[in-house]
Amino acid sequence: MTMTGWIPLSLSHDIEAGSSAGAVLNGAEVVVWRDTDGRPHIWEDRCPHRGMKLSFGFVRGDHIACLYHGWEFGETGQCQKIPAHPDLEVPKSICAQTYSVAEAAGMIWVHTPLETTEANTSPSPSAPTSRVAHCVRSLYLDVPLERALAALPAAFGASVKVENSVASINAPLVDLHIGLHPVTDTQCALHITAEGQPDTAVLLDILARAEKLRGSLEAELETAR
Amino acid sequence: MTLPTLYNFDLDDHCYRLRLTASICGVDLDILNINTFPGHDHLAPDYLLKNPLGRVPTLEHDGLILRETAAIQTYIAALSKNKSFVPESLVEQAAMTDWMIFADRDLASASAARATALLDVPGDGPALTATARKMLQIMEDHMTRQRVLGKAFFVANTVTLADLALFPAFALSRDFSIDHDAFPALRRWARQLRTVDGFITMPGIPDYH
């Protein structure tokens, strides 16, 4: 499933301030990180020095540092510090590849095709509802996104409406909004949020349905082999 | 009183589990390194007298010899002045034991996948990795539920031996080609565990994060 526009790569609550994680979008490796002030960033997951994944690195203030040699990059992607050469004024040409990022509806989004913030002029992702989004879980599945989408109505017991990379479901106990994230041609992630402040029993029910969904898709894969 | 002796190999995940447990519990160990790779010293006759199974770790203390990692963890916790790592509640103790056995039996796939990838141990790497991934998924599902229930760790809202038993397999998973992308609940848990007093790393687990 080729999708363009804003694509969600993570639930907001899974990228804590001062932390980073890797993510894959249509086979492209990116790092999703939050500075200590809580602002999200999505970049190519590659240090321009030796190609090490920046998602293995660490966040200090508004910089992300590479685990290999500690090169630090600021929010524009430009290298700010090379620890092995503390007195060097770092050339402006040393720059990590940044992408256009947004946070809305309990998720962190990147704009596709992947491009820098300056190049992207489209409006921010629109939230599917004005009610507050409660992050539930990201479910990673070894099936193409189309296959996962087709299984959603049975899994949550209601019909599904897809708009702007979000599947909305008026499930019996709660309204769900699920971010659709194609990882590769054969893998996807569903970033599940619920409207309002669902109670514990409702949340545990969603988690159980999510695990059963994954189980049934895996069983199908096994049969197909 | 003499210190317990840990027969140790720094790159072994089970040995790390015990160094981590001892460090967090504040228990001093006399660490004796056995060169298992590439030296194969775990198969030397003198070592086989201590542990005829021919593997590390082994713990020896005042004539007692322990060979199973979970048992050694329990022994180290018993020597600690800090009793908080073994819950008082029998229900929580049972849950802790459940996860410690999972760490030894089911996460053996992770240890074997890593040994095949790094230490020249024969094995079906892709199959072991696939099984290990399934085991990490079970841990991810559990910690996702724990978060809903307001618990930061596997058994309770504080660290128990179960967390220390499970941590190495996740922290070292990139050694056998499993990235952390698909495990947000485990990432969060690992970050919490890193803040516990006495936390230490091993080669393959970065100090910085």
Side-chain angles (χ1 to χ4, degrees):
Chain A
M1 184 179 281
T2 310
M3 298 191 302
T4 53
W6 290 101
I7 310 278
L9 298 189
S10 172
L11 290 175
S12 289
H13 82 167
D14 282 330
I15 307 291
E16 294 168 289
S19 77
S20 63
V24 177
L25 171 64
N26 292 322
E29 294 178 343
V30 303
V31 53
V32 185
W33 64 282
R34 234 189 242 287
D35 56 39
T36 42
D37 289 337
R39 284 175 308 166
H41 308 270
I42 297 180
W43 295 3
E44 184 185 10
D45 197 6
R46 182 178 183 283
C47 177
H49 179 216
R50 291 285 176 183
M52 176 67 173
K53 283 186 166 194
L54 285 171
S55 57
F56 283 37
F58 47 95
V59 178
R60 295 290 180 270
D62 58 358
H63 291 182
I64 188 165
C66 179
L67 188 63
Y68 261 20
H69 304 100
W71 288 29
E72 289 188 23
F73 302 87
E75 63 175 325
T76 61
Q78 224 156 64
C79 185
Q80 304 288 342
K81 190 179 168 194
I82 298 178
H85 300 282
D87 300 328
L88 179 77
E89 192 182 329
V90 182
K92 294 271 180 283
S93 56
I94 302 178
C95 206
Q97 176 66 56
T98 65
Y99 299 133
S100 199
V101 66
E103 185 159 24
M107 294 178 255
I108 301 174
W109 308 64
V110 72
H111 196 263
T112 60
L114 294 172
E115 61 198 358
T116 56
T117 314
E118 297 74 45
N120 171 40
T121 52
S122 52
S124 299
S126 50
T129 166
S130 60
R131 296 189 69 197
V132 68
H134 184 95
C135 298
V136 182
R137 92 166 280 184
S138 291
L139 187 70
Y140 288 81
L141 300 168
D142 290 336
V143 296
L145 184 54
E146 299 91 321
R147 184 67 207 91
L149 202 48
L152 282 179
F156 291 101
S159 61
V160 173
K161 193 183 88 190
V162 178
E163 208 171 353
N164 300 327
S165 290
V166 173
S168 293
I169 306 175
N170 295 108
L173 295 173
V174 64
D175 288 340
L176 299 174
H177 302 286
I178 301 177
L180 305 174
H181 168 186
V183 175
T184 62
D185 289 345
T186 56
Q187 293 177 309
C188 68
L190 303 176
H191 303 294
I192 306 174
T193 70
E195 256 187 63
Q197 295 291 335
D199 64 30
T200 304
V202 170
L203 289 170
L204 291 176
D205 178 63
I206 301 170
L207 293 182
R209 286 170 184 272
E211 282 176 43
K212 280 197 224 165
L213 167 63
R214 189 184 60 210
S216 67
L217 290 171
E218 278 170 3
E220 239 175 60
L221 266 185
E222 277 302 311
T223 318
R225 274 193 191 117
Chain B
M1 210 171 98
T2 58
L3 294 179
T5 300
L6 176 69
Y7 295 87
N8 169 69
F9 179 57
D10 273 347
L11 299 183
D12 180 275
D13 57 324
H14 279 243
C15 293
Y16 166 59
R17 195 197 295 182
L18 297 176
R19 296 194 305 277
L20 175 66
T21 301
S23 179
I24 285 182
C25 288
V27 171
D28 287 333
L29 298 176
D30 187 9
I31 290 180
L32 214 153
N33 288 318
I34 301 294
N35 177 4
T36 69
F37 179 83
H40 293 291
D41 287 355
H42 58 302
L43 302 177
D46 283 345
Y47 184 71
L48 290 175
L49 287 179
K50 307 281 184 196
N51 187 342
L53 296 169
R55 64 183 181 220
V56 288
T58 304
L59 190 96
E60 184 175 25
H61 193 209
D62 292 338
L64 171 74
I65 287 186
L66 298 173
R67 299 182 297 243
E68 294 297 339
T69 311
I72 302 173
Q73 265 196 295
T74 308
Y75 186 75
I76 291 171
L79 294 177
S80 175
K81 289 192 190 77
N82 184 342
K83 297 300 173 199
S84 71
F85 305 109
V86 177
E88 275 178 38
S89 137
L90 284 179
V91 173
E92 288 184 349
Q93 263 184 41
M96 182 186 84
T97 306
D98 198 78
W99 281 113
M100 288 170 79
I101 292 172
F102 177 91
D104 281 341
R105 184 169 59 189
D106 301 295
L107 287 179
S109 52
S111 301
R114 184 170 166 275
T116 304
L118 295 188
L119 305 174
D120 243 5
V121 173
D124 181 350
L128 289 166
T129 295
T131 307
R133 186 164 167 259
K134 195 89 206 149
M135 297 306 125
L136 292 177
Q137 211 171 62
I138 290 170
M139 290 165 60
E140 171 74 15
D141 289 348
H142 178 73
M143 285 314 293
T144 304
R145 256 177 269 124
Q146 288 291 85
R147 183 170 194 177
V148 167
L149 299 170
K151 292 179 184 170
F153 294 96
F154 267 78
V155 172
N157 208 21
T158 55
V159 173
T160 68
L161 297 183
D163 300 290
L164 306 179
L166 298 163
F167 178 75
F170 177 65
L172 294 166
S173 74
R174 287 150 166 170
D175 284 351
F176 47 96
S177 309
I178 300 180
D179 216 328
H180 290 174
D181 298 17
F183 304 99
L186 295 182
R187 292 199 306 258
R188 178 187 169 85
W189 160 73
R191 269 199 302 279
Q192 289 276 318
L193 193 58
R194 279 174 170 274
T195 66
V196 174
D197 281 347
F199 178 84
I200 54 170
T201 58
M202 69 167 272
I205 302 177
D207 287 326
Y208 301 113
H209 71 111

